[in-house]
């Protein structure tokens, strides 16, 4: 690990200003991803800004009937909140499906959104990776790609986004709230928060230098049956081969988002009109234009069969 300086921010605006002012600065809260990357010298911040003392750890009702989740709310607390369990069950289930209990006790809402890919080529500094070293190439293209993306990829990167929580937030139409270094606030729909890799896969999202996430807001509950189904190689502490977050209404309509298939949580709203017709019709539109590798083409039928199981489960619920 390379040496760094450290400070504790006293306000969100102060934290954002400090991060913009100091080249190579990073925010740290739970540190469950950042510290691992620092130990491997994948991330080499010269300055850490501790945001744990900023009182961004509350879950509060909004005037619109939704919830505002502070950036520092721990994953365990968010999953266990009675309002989340009752009205946003897909989010609670997605959080419990992620990592281990110990990690969920430390991981924060903002940190979960901002975690980096778990692509093995990204983590191996002896391998080329455009996400880690822009312009160095992509070892996964032509390499071991079983875990990798099948849609939204580019010639520069086929990595997937690892967050379970982000997939649920995408199906819930959440909004990310931030504060910028000049003190101004911004609201970013989760649909616009993540970037596809294109020719700049090292840029994961639309945040600017120094911009700090302060909260995530959920709109008024939409009801329906909330399901999060994660398919992985082992039952615990494994990232998704694919995952399905779905909200299904009594008439068969609903919403669906996928994890484990793209550089970001994958949702195509136009495909949701096909939900009453079944999983095959939805999957055909949801994954239109997919370009899997020979090693991960199995994800295409896996998405369809998993979505079919989700829809069957929703219909069976009284």
């Amino acid at each position: 690990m390379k040496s760094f300086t450290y400070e504790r921010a006293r306000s969100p605006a102060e934290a954002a200003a400090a991060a913009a002012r100091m080249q190579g600065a990073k925010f740290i809260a739970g540190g469950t991803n950042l510290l691992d990357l620092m130990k491997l010298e994948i991330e080499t911040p010269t300055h850490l800004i501790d945001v744990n003392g900023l009182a961004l750890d509350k879950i509060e009702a909004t005037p619109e009937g939704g919830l505002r989740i502070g950036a520092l709310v721990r994953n365990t607390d968010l999953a266990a909140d009675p309002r989340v369990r009752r009205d946003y069950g897909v989010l609670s289930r997605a959080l419990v499906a992620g990592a281990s209990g110990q990690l969920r006790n430390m991981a924060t809402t903002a940190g979960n959104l901002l975690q980096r890919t778990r692509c093995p080529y990204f983590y191996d500094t002896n391998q080329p990776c455009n996400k880690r070293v822009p312009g160095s190439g992509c070892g996964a293209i032509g390499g071991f790609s079983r875990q990798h993306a099948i849609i939204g990829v580019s010639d520069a990167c086929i990595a997937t986004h690892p967050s379970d929580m982000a997939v649920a937030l995408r199906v819930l139409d959440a909004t990310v709230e931030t504060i910028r270094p000049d003190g101004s606030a911004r609201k970013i729909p989760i649909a616009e928060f993540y970037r596809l890799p294109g020719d700049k896969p090292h840029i994961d999202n639309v945040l600017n230098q120094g911009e700090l996430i302060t909260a995530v807001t959920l709109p008024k509950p939409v009801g329906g049956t909330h399901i999060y189904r994660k398919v992985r190689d082992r039952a615990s502490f494994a990232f998704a081969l694919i995952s399905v977050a779905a909200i299904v209404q009594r008439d068969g309509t609903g919403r669906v988002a996928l994890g484990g298939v793209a550089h970001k949580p994958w949702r195509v709203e136009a495909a949701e009109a096909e939900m009453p017709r079944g999983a095959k019709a939805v999957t055909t539109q949801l994954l239109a234009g997919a370009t899997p590798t020979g090693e991960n083409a199995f994800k295409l039928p896996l998405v369809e069969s998993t979505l079919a199981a989700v829809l069957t489960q929703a219909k069976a619920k009284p």
Side-chain angles (χ1 to χ4, degrees):
M1 183 183 290
K2 293 187 178 295
S3 61
F4 56 88
T5 53
Y6 170 89
E7 69 173 289
R8 292 179 178 173
R10 293 174 294 184
S11 71
E14 180 183 282
R21 183 174 63 250
M22 302 193 68
Q23 186 69 27
K26 290 275 186 181
F27 302 119
I28 187 167
T32 57
N33 187 208
L34 178 59
L35 290 177
D36 284 343
L37 295 174
M38 289 173 65
K39 292 173 185 177
L40 295 169
E41 296 189 4
I42 294 168
E43 294 276 9
T44 55
T46 58
H47 185 70
L48 289 183
I49 302 166
D50 189 332
V51 296
N52 281 297
L54 299 186
L56 300 175
D57 58 351
K58 304 292 189 301
I59 304 173
E60 302 168 310
T62 66
E64 297 76 21
L67 286 181
R68 186 174 188 270
I69 304 161
L72 295 174
V73 173
R74 307 292 162 164
N75 286 180
T76 296
D77 296 331
L78 181 57
D81 186 275
R83 295 162 294 183
V84 174
R85 295 179 64 188
R86 182 188 66 229
D87 297 328
Y88 307 96
V90 66
L91 176 56
S92 182
R93 293 178 177 94
L95 286 162
V96 172
S100 65
Q102 294 93 330
L103 286 171
R104 293 196 298 271
N105 288 342
M106 289 298 297
T108 63
T109 298
N112 192 309
L113 287 176
L114 297 176
Q115 62 184 300
R116 307 299 306 277
T117 184
R118 263 46 178 205
C119 172
Y121 295 94
F122 175 74
Y123 270 80
D124 185 348
T125 55
N126 293 310
Q127 298 291 332
C129 174
N130 289 317
K131 184 174 281 293
R132 177 171 29 84
V133 182
S136 64
C138 176
I141 297 176
F144 180 72
S145 57
R146 182 172 180 272
Q147 294 274 353
H148 288 75
I150 58 174
I151 196 164
V153 301
S154 74
D155 292 338
C157 183
I158 59 172
T160 57
H161 193 272
S163 172
D164 292 289
M165 184 189 78
V167 182
L169 291 177
R170 180 67 181 90
V171 87
L172 288 167
D173 286 329
T175 299
V176 180
E177 297 184 3
T178 71
I179 188 166
R180 290 178 279 200
D182 63 1
S184 63
R186 182 158 72 131
K187 294 183 178 182
I188 309 167
I190 192 74
E192 301 170 12
F193 183 75
Y194 293 108
R195 297 178 70 259
L196 289 177
D199 60 358
K200 296 180 180 178
H202 60 291
I203 304 176
D204 292 333
N205 54 61
V206 299
L207 294 179
N208 297 315
Q209 175 64 32
E211 194 167 5
L212 174 70
I213 295 175
T214 54
V216 173
T217 55
L218 301 177
K220 185 177 178 180
V222 296
T225 300
H226 289 224
I227 298 172
Y228 187 79
R229 183 166 293 208
K230 181 176 180 178
V231 181
R232 45 190 164 178
D233 284 328
R234 59 179 186 269
S236 179
F237 199 12
F239 295 97
L241 288 170
I242 69 105
S243 62
V244 175
I247 302 174
V248 186
Q249 304 298 334
R250 288 184 177 273
D251 61 1
T253 61
R255 306 174 181 180
V256 61
L258 303 179
V261 300
H263 202 253
K264 63 179 184 178
W266 193 257
R267 183 180 175 196
V268 179
E269 281 87 340
E272 295 167 357
E274 302 294 330
M275 286 182 71
R277 295 181 55 202
K280 184 175 181 62
V282 177
T283 305
T284 297
Q285 286 203 34
L286 194 56
L287 297 181
T291 54
T293 69
E295 291 188 347
N296 65 18
F298 71 92
K299 289 190 176 187
L300 293 168
L302 185 60
V303 167
E304 183 179 335
S305 61
T306 305
L307 179 55
V310 165
L311 296 178
T312 299
Q313 179 182 343
K315 289 179 183 177
K317 186 173 180 179

